[in-house]
Coordinates of all heavy atoms in Angstrom, one line a residue:
M1 N 5.3 -9.3 -16.6 CA 5.9 -8.3 -15.7 C 4.9 -8.1 -14.5 O 3.7 -8.1 -14.6 CB 6.0 -7.0 -16.5 CG 6.5 -5.9 -15.6 SD 6.6 -4.2 -16.3 CE 7.3 -4.4 -17.9
T2 N 5.5 -8.0 -13.3 CA 4.8 -7.8 -12.1 C 4.4 -6.3 -11.9 O 5.3 -5.5 -12.0 CB 5.6 -8.3 -10.9 OG1 6.0 -9.6 -11.1 CG2 4.8 -8.2 -9.6
P3 N 3.1 -6.0 -11.7 CA 2.7 -4.6 -11.5 C 3.2 -4.1 -10.2 O 3.1 -4.8 -9.2 CB 1.2 -4.6 -11.6 CG 0.8 -6.0 -11.8 CD 2.0 -6.9 -11.7
T4 N 3.8 -2.9 -10.2 CA 4.2 -2.2 -9.0 C 3.7 -0.8 -9.0 O 3.3 -0.3 -10.1 CB 5.8 -2.2 -8.8 OG1 6.3 -1.5 -9.9 CG2 6.3 -3.6 -8.7
R5 N 3.7 -0.2 -7.9 CA 3.2 1.2 -7.8 C 4.1 1.8 -6.6 O 4.3 1.2 -5.6 CB 1.7 1.3 -7.5 CG 1.2 2.7 -7.6 CD -0.3 2.8 -7.5 NE -0.9 2.0 -8.6 CZ -2.1 1.6 -8.6 NH1 -2.9 1.8 -7.6 NH2 -2.6 0.9 -9.6
V6 N 4.5 3.1 -6.8 CA 5.2 3.8 -5.8 C 4.2 4.1 -4.6 O 3.0 4.4 -4.9 CB 5.8 5.1 -6.3 CG1 6.4 5.9 -5.2 CG2 6.8 4.8 -7.4
A7 N 4.6 3.9 -3.4 CA 3.7 4.0 -2.2 C 2.9 5.3 -2.2 O 1.8 5.3 -1.8 CB 4.5 3.9 -0.9
A8 N 3.5 6.4 -2.7 CA 2.8 7.7 -2.6 C 1.7 7.7 -3.6 O 0.8 8.6 -3.5 CB 3.8 8.8 -3.0
L9 N 1.5 6.7 -4.5 CA 0.4 6.8 -5.5 C -0.6 5.7 -5.2 O -1.5 5.5 -6.0 CB 1.0 6.5 -6.9 CG 2.0 7.6 -7.3 CD1 2.6 7.2 -8.7 CD2 1.4 9.0 -7.4
I10 N -0.6 5.0 -4.0 CA -1.6 4.1 -3.7 C -2.8 4.8 -3.1 O -2.8 5.9 -2.6 CB -1.1 3.0 -2.7 CG1 -0.7 3.6 -1.4 CG2 0.0 2.2 -3.4 CD1 -0.4 2.6 -0.3
G11 N -4.0 4.1 -3.2 CA -5.2 4.6 -2.6 C -6.2 3.6 -2.2 O -5.9 2.4 -2.4
P12 N -7.3 4.0 -1.7 CA -8.3 3.0 -1.2 C -8.7 2.0 -2.3 O -8.8 2.4 -3.5 CB -9.5 3.9 -0.8 CG -8.9 5.2 -0.5 CD -7.7 5.4 -1.4
G13 N -8.8 0.8 -1.9 CA -9.2 -0.3 -2.8 C -8.0 -1.0 -3.5 O -8.2 -2.1 -4.0
D14 N -6.8 -0.4 -3.5 CA -5.6 -1.1 -4.0 C -5.4 -2.3 -3.2 O -5.4 -2.4 -2.0 CB -4.4 -0.2 -4.0 CG -4.4 0.9 -5.1 OD1 -5.1 0.7 -6.1 OD2 -3.7 1.9 -5.0
R15 N -5.0 -3.4 -3.9 CA -4.6 -4.7 -3.3 C -3.1 -4.8 -3.4 O -2.6 -4.7 -4.5 CB -5.3 -5.9 -4.0 CG -6.8 -5.8 -4.0 CD -7.6 -6.8 -3.3 NE -7.0 -8.1 -3.1 CZ -6.9 -8.7 -1.9 NH1 -7.3 -8.1 -0.9 NH2 -6.4 -9.9 -1.9
I16 N -2.5 -5.0 -2.2 CA -1.0 -4.9 -2.2 C -0.5 -6.2 -1.6 O -1.0 -6.7 -0.5 CB -0.5 -3.7 -1.3 CG1 -0.9 -2.4 -2.0 CG2 1.0 -3.8 -1.1 CD1 -0.6 -1.2 -1.2
G17 N 0.5 -6.9 -2.2 CA 1.1 -8.0 -1.7 C 2.2 -7.6 -0.7 O 3.1 -6.9 -1.0
Y18 N 2.0 -8.0 0.6 CA 2.8 -7.5 1.7 C 2.9 -8.6 2.7 O 1.9 -9.2 3.1 CB 2.3 -6.2 2.2 CG 3.0 -5.6 3.4 CD1 4.3 -5.2 3.2 CD2 2.5 -5.5 4.6 CE1 5.1 -4.6 4.2 CE2 3.2 -4.9 5.7 CZ 4.5 -4.5 5.5 OH 5.2 -4.0 6.5
E19 N 4.1 -8.9 3.2 CA 4.4 -9.9 4.2 C 3.7 -11.3 3.9 O 3.1 -11.9 4.7 CB 3.9 -9.4 5.6 CG 4.7 -8.3 6.1 CD 4.4 -7.9 7.6 OE1 3.3 -8.3 8.1 OE2 5.3 -7.3 8.2
G20 N 3.8 -11.7 2.6 CA 3.3 -13.0 2.2 C 1.8 -13.1 2.0 O 1.3 -14.2 1.8
Q21 N 1.1 -12.0 2.0 CA -0.4 -12.1 1.8 C -0.8 -10.8 1.1 O -0.1 -9.8 1.0 CB -1.1 -12.2 3.1 CG -0.9 -11.1 4.1 CD -1.7 -11.3 5.4 OE1 -2.7 -12.0 5.5 NE2 -1.1 -10.8 6.5
W22 N -2.0 -10.9 0.5 CA -2.6 -9.7 -0.2 C -3.5 -9.0 0.8 O -4.3 -9.6 1.5 CB -3.4 -10.2 -1.4 CG -2.5 -10.6 -2.5 CD1 -2.1 -11.9 -2.8 CD2 -1.8 -9.8 -3.4 NE1 -1.3 -11.9 -3.8 CE2 -1.1 -10.6 -4.3 CE3 -1.8 -8.4 -3.6 CZ2 -0.3 -10.1 -5.3 CZ3 -1.0 -7.9 -4.7 CH2 -0.3 -8.8 -5.5
R23 N -3.3 -7.7 0.9 CA -4.1 -6.8 1.8 C -4.8 -5.7 0.9 O -4.2 -5.3 -0.1 CB -3.3 -6.2 2.9 CG -2.7 -7.3 3.8 CD -1.9 -6.6 4.9 NE -1.3 -7.6 5.7 CZ -0.5 -7.4 6.7 NH1 -0.2 -6.1 7.0 NH2 0.0 -8.3 7.5
T24 N -5.9 -5.2 1.4 CA -6.6 -4.1 0.7 C -6.4 -2.8 1.4 O -6.7 -2.7 2.7 CB -8.1 -4.5 0.6 OG1 -8.2 -5.8 0.0 CG2 -8.8 -3.5 -0.3
V25 N -6.1 -1.7 0.7 CA -5.9 -0.4 1.3 C -7.3 0.2 1.7 O -8.2 0.3 0.8 CB -5.2 0.5 0.4 CG1 -5.1 1.9 1.0 CG2 -3.8 0.0 0.0
K26 N -7.5 0.5 2.9 CA -8.7 1.2 3.4 C -8.5 2.7 3.2 O -9.3 3.4 2.6 CB -9.0 0.8 4.8 CG -10.3 1.4 5.3 CD -10.6 0.9 6.7 CE -11.9 1.5 7.2 NZ -12.2 0.9 8.6
T27 N -7.4 3.2 3.8 CA -7.1 4.6 3.7 C -5.5 4.7 3.6 O -4.8 3.9 4.0 CB -7.5 5.5 4.8 OG1 -6.9 5.1 6.0 CG2 -9.0 5.5 5.0
A28 N -5.1 5.8 2.9 CA -3.6 6.1 2.8 C -3.4 7.5 3.1 O -4.1 8.4 2.4 CB -3.1 5.7 1.5
T29 N -2.6 7.9 4.0 CA -2.3 9.3 4.4 C -0.8 9.4 4.4 O 0.0 8.4 4.4 CB -2.9 9.7 5.7 OG1 -2.4 8.8 6.7 CG2 -4.4 9.6 5.7
T30 N -0.3 10.7 4.4 CA 1.1 10.9 4.5 C 1.5 11.3 5.9 O 0.7 11.8 6.7 CB 1.5 12.0 3.5 OG1 0.8 13.2 3.8 CG2 1.3 11.6 2.1
D31 N 2.8 11.1 6.2 CA 3.4 11.5 7.5 C 4.9 11.9 7.2 O 5.4 11.4 6.2 CB 3.3 10.3 8.4 CG 3.6 10.7 9.9 OD1 3.6 11.9 10.2 OD2 4.0 9.7 10.6
V32 N 5.4 12.6 8.1 CA 6.8 13.0 8.0 C 7.6 12.3 9.1 O 7.2 12.4 10.3 CB 7.0 14.6 8.1 CG1 8.5 14.9 8.1 CG2 6.2 15.2 7.0
G33 N 8.6 11.6 8.8 CA 9.4 10.9 9.8 C 10.3 11.9 10.6 O 10.4 13.1 10.3
A34 N 11.0 11.3 11.6 CA 11.8 12.1 12.5 C 12.9 12.9 11.8 O 13.3 14.0 12.2 CB 12.4 11.2 13.6
M35 N 13.4 12.3 10.7 CA 14.5 12.9 10.0 C 14.0 13.7 8.8 O 14.8 14.1 7.9 CB 15.5 11.9 9.5 CG 16.1 11.1 10.7 SD 17.1 12.1 11.8 CE 18.5 12.4 10.8
G36 N 12.7 13.9 8.7 CA 12.1 14.7 7.6 C 11.7 13.9 6.4 O 11.2 14.5 5.4
G37 N 11.8 12.6 6.4 CA 11.5 11.8 5.2 C 9.9 11.7 5.1 O 9.2 11.7 6.1
L38 N 9.4 11.6 3.9 CA 8.0 11.4 3.7 C 7.6 10.0 3.7 O 8.3 9.1 3.1 CB 7.6 12.0 2.3 CG 6.1 12.0 2.0 CD1 5.4 12.9 3.0 CD2 6.0 12.6 0.6
F39 N 6.6 9.6 4.4 CA 6.0 8.3 4.6 C 4.6 8.2 4.2 O 3.9 9.2 4.3 CB 6.2 7.8 6.0 CG 7.6 7.5 6.4 CD1 8.4 8.5 6.9 CD2 8.1 6.2 6.3 CE1 9.7 8.2 7.3 CE2 9.4 5.9 6.7 CZ 10.2 6.9 7.2
V40 N 4.1 7.0 3.8 CA 2.7 6.8 3.5 C 2.2 5.8 4.6 O 2.9 4.8 4.9 CB 2.5 6.2 2.1 CG1 1.0 5.8 1.9 CG2 3.0 7.1 1.0
V41 N 1.2 6.2 5.3 CA 0.6 5.4 6.4 C -0.6 4.7 5.8 O -1.5 5.4 5.3 CB 0.2 6.3 7.6 CG1 -0.4 5.4 8.7 CG2 1.5 7.0 8.1
V42 N -0.6 3.4 5.8 CA -1.7 2.6 5.2 C -2.5 2.0 6.3 O -2.0 1.3 7.2 CB -1.2 1.6 4.2 CG1 -2.3 0.7 3.7 CG2 -0.4 2.2 3.1
V43 N -3.9 2.2 6.2 CA -4.8 1.4 7.1 C -5.4 0.3 6.2 O -5.9 0.6 5.1 CB -5.9 2.3 7.7 CG1 -6.9 1.5 8.5 CG2 -5.3 3.5 8.5
W44 N -5.3 -0.9 6.7 CA -5.7 -2.0 5.9 C -7.2 -2.4 6.2 O -7.6 -2.3 7.3 CB -4.9 -3.3 6.2 CG -3.4 -3.1 5.9 CD1 -2.5 -3.0 6.9 CD2 -2.8 -3.0 4.7 NE1 -1.2 -2.9 6.3 CE2 -1.4 -2.9 4.9 CE3 -3.2 -3.0 3.4 CZ2 -0.4 -2.8 3.9 CZ3 -2.3 -2.9 2.4 CH2 -0.9 -2.8 2.6
E45 N -8.0 -2.8 5.1 CA -9.3 -3.3 5.3 C -9.3 -4.4 6.3 O -10.3 -4.6 7.1 CB -9.9 -3.7 4.0 CG -10.2 -2.6 3.0 CD -11.5 -1.8 3.3 OE1 -12.3 -2.3 4.2 OE2 -11.7 -0.8 2.7
E46 N -8.3 -5.3 6.2 CA -8.2 -6.5 7.1 C -7.8 -6.2 8.5 O -7.7 -7.1 9.3 CB -7.2 -7.5 6.4 CG -7.6 -8.0 5.0 CD -7.4 -7.0 3.9 OE1 -6.7 -5.9 4.1 OE2 -7.8 -7.3 2.8
G47 N -7.5 -4.9 8.8 CA -7.1 -4.5 10.2 C -5.6 -4.2 10.2 O -4.8 -4.7 9.5
G48 N -5.3 -3.3 11.1 CA -3.9 -2.9 11.3 C -3.4 -1.7 10.4 O -4.2 -1.3 9.5
T49 N -2.2 -1.3 10.6 CA -1.6 -0.2 9.8 C -0.2 -0.5 9.5 O 0.4 -1.3 10.2 CB -1.7 1.2 10.6 OG1 -0.9 1.1 11.8 CG2 -3.1 1.6 10.9
D50 N 0.4 0.1 8.5 CA 1.8 0.0 8.2 C 2.3 1.4 7.6 O 1.5 2.1 7.1 CB 2.1 -1.1 7.2 CG 2.0 -2.5 7.8 OD1 2.8 -2.7 8.7 OD2 1.1 -3.2 7.5
R51 N 3.6 1.6 7.7 CA 4.2 2.8 7.1 C 5.2 2.4 6.0 O 6.0 1.4 6.2 CB 4.9 3.6 8.2 CG 4.1 4.4 9.0 CD 4.8 5.1 10.2 NE 6.2 5.5 9.9 CZ 6.7 6.7 10.1 NH1 5.9 7.6 10.7 NH2 7.9 7.0 9.9
F52 N 5.2 3.1 4.9 CA 6.1 2.8 3.8 C 6.8 4.2 3.5 O 6.1 5.2 3.5 CB 5.4 2.3 2.6 CG 4.7 1.0 2.8 CD1 3.3 1.0 3.1 CD2 5.3 -0.2 2.8 CE1 2.6 -0.2 3.3 CE2 4.7 -1.4 3.0 CZ 3.3 -1.4 3.3
R53 N 8.0 4.1 3.1 CA 8.7 5.3 2.5 C 7.9 5.7 1.3 O 7.5 4.8 0.5 CB 10.1 5.1 2.2 CG 10.9 4.9 3.5 CD 12.4 4.9 3.1 NE 13.2 4.5 4.3 CZ 13.5 5.3 5.3 NH1 13.2 6.6 5.2 NH2 14.3 4.9 6.3
A54 N 7.7 7.0 1.0 CA 6.9 7.4 -0.1 C 7.4 6.9 -1.5 O 6.7 6.6 -2.4 CB 6.8 8.9 -0.2
G55 N 8.7 6.6 -1.6 CA 9.3 6.1 -2.8 C 9.4 4.6 -3.0 O 9.8 4.1 -4.0
D56 N 9.0 3.9 -1.9 CA 9.0 2.4 -2.0 C 8.1 1.9 -3.1 O 7.0 2.4 -3.3 CB 8.6 1.8 -0.7 CG 9.6 1.9 0.4 OD1 10.7 2.3 0.1 OD2 9.3 1.5 1.6
E57 N 8.6 0.9 -3.8 CA 7.7 0.2 -4.8 C 7.0 -0.9 -4.2 O 7.6 -1.7 -3.4 CB 8.6 -0.3 -6.0 CG 9.1 0.8 -6.9 CD 9.7 0.3 -8.1 OE1 10.0 -0.9 -8.3 OE2 9.9 1.1 -9.0
L58 N 5.7 -1.0 -4.4 CA 4.8 -2.0 -3.8 C 4.2 -2.9 -4.8 O 3.9 -2.4 -5.9 CB 3.7 -1.4 -2.9 CG 4.2 -0.4 -1.8 CD1 3.0 0.3 -1.2 CD2 5.0 -1.2 -0.8
L59 N 4.1 -4.2 -4.6 CA 3.5 -5.1 -5.5 C 2.0 -4.9 -5.4 O 1.4 -5.0 -4.4 CB 3.8 -6.5 -5.1 CG 3.3 -7.7 -5.9 CD1 3.9 -7.6 -7.3 CD2 3.7 -9.0 -5.2
V60 N 1.4 -4.6 -6.6 CA -0.1 -4.3 -6.7 C -0.7 -5.4 -7.6 O -0.2 -5.7 -8.6 CB -0.3 -2.9 -7.2 CG1 -1.8 -2.6 -7.3 CG2 0.4 -1.9 -6.4
S61 N -1.9 -5.9 -7.1 CA -2.6 -6.9 -7.9 C -3.4 -6.2 -9.1 O -3.7 -5.0 -9.0 CB -3.6 -7.7 -7.1 OG -4.7 -6.9 -6.7
V62 N -3.6 -6.9 -10.1 CA -4.4 -6.4 -11.2 C -5.9 -6.3 -10.8 O -6.4 -7.3 -10.2 CB -4.3 -7.3 -12.4 CG1 -5.1 -6.8 -13.6 CG2 -2.8 -7.4 -12.9
P63 N -6.5 -5.2 -10.9 CA -7.9 -5.1 -10.5 C -8.8 -6.1 -11.2 O -8.7 -6.4 -12.3 CB -8.3 -3.7 -10.9 CG -7.1 -2.9 -11.2 CD -6.1 -4.0 -11.6
E64 N -9.8 -6.7 -10.4 CA -10.7 -7.6 -10.9 C -11.8 -6.9 -11.6 O -12.3 -5.9 -11.1 CB -11.3 -8.5 -9.8 CG -10.2 -9.4 -9.2 CD -10.8 -10.3 -8.1 OE1 -12.1 -10.4 -8.0 OE2 -10.0 -10.7 -7.3
L65 N -12.3 -7.4 -12.8 CA -13.4 -6.8 -13.5 C -14.7 -7.3 -13.0 O -14.8 -8.5 -12.6 CB -13.3 -7.1 -15.0 CG -12.0 -6.5 -15.7 CD1 -12.0 -7.0 -17.1 CD2 -12.0 -5.0 -15.6
P66 N -15.7 -6.4 -12.8 CA -17.0 -6.9 -12.4 C -17.6 -7.9 -13.3 O -17.4 -7.9 -14.5 CB -17.9 -5.6 -12.3 CG -17.0 -4.5 -12.8 CD -15.7 -5.0 -13.2
A67 N -18.3 -8.9 -12.7 CA -18.9 -9.9 -13.5 C -20.1 -9.5 -14.3 O -20.8 -8.6 -14.0 CB -19.3 -11.1 -12.7

């Protein structure tokens, strides 16, 4: 089974598969859209930002255990 998480529950350090690559969440904040919908604004460790609807399911990698 592929792990997923609702966008509203992601946080710093989560690795998300998006646009064909894995990115790491630096920060995640909420925003309200023009029609009143709730969004999650993600700033990526790799640079850039994206917005997801709060209820969107995102592909999340399994955390790596320290060696």
Side-chain angles (χ1 to χ4, degrees):
M1 180 187 311
T2 304
T4 60
R5 189 170 298 158
V6 175
L9 299 177
I10 63 172
D14 283 339
R15 303 243 332 127
I16 297 174
Y18 179 65
E19 291 187 342
Q21 62 183 332
W22 287 96
R23 297 180 182 179
T24 306
V25 176
K26 183 175 183 178
T27 62
T29 58
T30 57
D31 190 20
V32 177
M35 301 297 287
L38 183 63
F39 287 85
V40 176
V41 180
V42 176
V43 177
W44 303 109
E45 290 280 350
E46 298 79 7
T49 62
D50 284 297
R51 280 175 35 131
F52 301 96
R53 292 188 188 280
D56 285 354
E57 288 189 348
L58 303 174
L59 180 64
V60 180
S61 72
V62 178
E64 294 180 19
L65 297 175

